[in-house]
Amino acid sequence: MTSLGAYAFGIEPAYRLRIQRYAPVLPRWPEDLALTIAVIADPHVGEPYMSVRRLEEIVAVTNNLRPDLILLLGDYAAGHHFVTRPVSMRECAGAFRALKSPLGTFAILGNHDWWDDRSAQRSRRGPVIARTELEAAGIPVLENDAVRLVKDGRPFWLLGLGDQLALLGKPIRGVDDLRGTLAKLTDDAPAILMAHEPDIFPLVPRRIALTLSGHTHGGQVRFFGYSPLVPSSYGNRYAYGHIEEHGRHLIVSGGLGTSIMPVRFGVPPEIVHLSLGTASPAAGA
């Protein structure tokens, strides 16, 4: 048991990194629109587990995947108190500045990015520090917003939802506006939605080809596809991986960092590599 504990606290969260590949067949994504996406979620920066150097290594691995598009799914701020040296959001955004892809890098915010900004909590509004620093590094942050991108002459939409757990209190309140975000779609081009917490998924309409989320860390501890504790109202339903419900598709990244406790077991830190359209290889390749 001692060795398992040492692995869960000291090795898996701090040293392991895998590329998790998906190639879903999406009913609302054109087969001839080939697109590759690298997804980075939940780094929770702070030493000793997520130093600037480790973040730079993750950036280098991501660039080596040569994706068409890079997406950041939020929770850049540390999510636990086991931090030996804080890493500022400016340092984090500076590392992300080196991300390279033809269609660029786009970001959303997570609950810890809001919770970590005391001024935003007092005023009950943003922009939070994470957004300011990411945008200063040249990375657009989508909060209830949409951008129309073009790959090989074919358009598609990228949407980013505001965080659903942004404002602390009783109850916790979100700054998400799904209806307003969807209203920004002005044509029938296929659409991808970034939403930090996957709990929004039951409300996402079939108009959206794919929803991408983080937040859960796959439960951080996972045995045979089951996580004892998942920060979601739906438990293991949206804990991790590719979920299909009623013809709608969701992919939940296991993320990179940790929250509450700096432990991972059975769900190592990961970068998601997503292939859509005719360029899609077999999933897991």
Side-chain angles (χ1 to χ4, degrees):
M1 290 298 293
T2 300
S3 60
L4 287 177
Y7 173 82
F9 277 90
I11 296 177
E12 185 164 306
Y15 295 103
R16 290 200 59 193
L17 179 65
R18 70 179 177 187
I19 309 302
Q20 181 62 46
R21 302 180 188 271
Y22 297 97
V25 178
L26 306 175
R28 289 160 190 83
W29 190 269
E31 292 184 3
D32 59 350
L33 177 48
L35 181 72
T36 57
I37 305 173
V39 179
I40 293 174
D42 304 282
H44 289 292
V45 296
E47 296 184 7
Y49 295 98
M50 188 60 67
S51 64
V52 173
R53 180 176 179 180
R54 177 160 165 79
L55 198 60
E56 289 171 344
E57 292 170 351
I58 289 166
V59 165
V61 171
T62 303
N63 286 339
N64 285 340
L65 294 172
R66 299 185 181 277
D68 298 315
L69 176 67
I70 299 173
L71 303 179
L72 309 179
L73 296 188
D75 269 8
Y76 315 104
H80 57 77
H81 298 291
F82 298 85
V83 174
T84 58
R85 188 188 84 83
V87 173
S88 71
M89 192 59 219
R90 180 163 296 181
E91 293 174 283
C92 177
F96 284 147
R97 188 194 295 269
L99 289 166
K100 303 295 181 185
S101 63
L103 296 179
T105 302
F106 294 85
I108 58 173
L109 302 175
N111 55 302
H112 284 281
D113 304 315
W114 278 87
W115 296 356
D116 197 56
D117 190 325
R118 295 182 180 179
S119 176
Q121 291 298 315
R122 286 193 297 269
S123 66
R124 314 300 281 176
R125 61 186 177 88
V128 299
I129 294 169
R131 176 170 187 168
T132 301
E133 295 296 348
L134 285 167
E135 291 183 337
I139 299 173
V141 176
L142 302 180
E143 284 192 279
N144 302 317
D145 207 352
V147 61
R148 191 174 186 267
L149 302 174
V150 178
K151 166 75 189 312
D152 296 332
R154 301 290 301 276
F156 67 95
W157 288 95
L158 179 66
L159 292 73
L161 190 68
D163 190 72
Q164 300 157 61
L165 301 171
L167 301 174
L168 292 168
K170 295 183 179 180
I172 293 177
R173 298 187 181 275
V175 294
D176 55 305
D177 180 4
L178 180 60
R179 179 177 295 182
T181 304
L182 293 170
K184 297 187 177 182
L185 299 174
T186 59
D187 60 32
D188 61 357
I192 296 170
L193 172 68
M194 297 187 290
H196 179 70
E197 295 91 357
D199 285 24
I200 195 70
F201 185 60
L203 302 178
V204 176
R206 292 190 178 189
R207 169 69 179 86
I208 300 299
L210 177 65
T211 301
L212 297 173
S213 294
H215 181 65
T216 65
H217 308 174
Q220 289 190 190
V221 175
R222 197 164 179 82
F223 302 97
F224 306 107
Y226 175 80
S227 299
L229 296 173
V230 181
S232 165
S233 298
Y234 295 93
N236 273 266
R237 180 174 169 183
Y238 303 137
Y240 178 72
H242 180 199
I243 298 103
E244 180 181 357
E245 289 185 352
H246 311 296
R248 298 172 303 115
H249 290 256
L250 166 70
I251 290 177
V252 181
S253 170
L256 292 163
T258 59
S259 63
I260 310 302
M261 290 289 289
V263 58
R264 277 183 178 260
F265 185 84
V267 55
E270 67 180 28
I271 300 167
V272 168
H273 185 265
L274 178 64
S275 297
L276 304 180
T278 53
S280 301

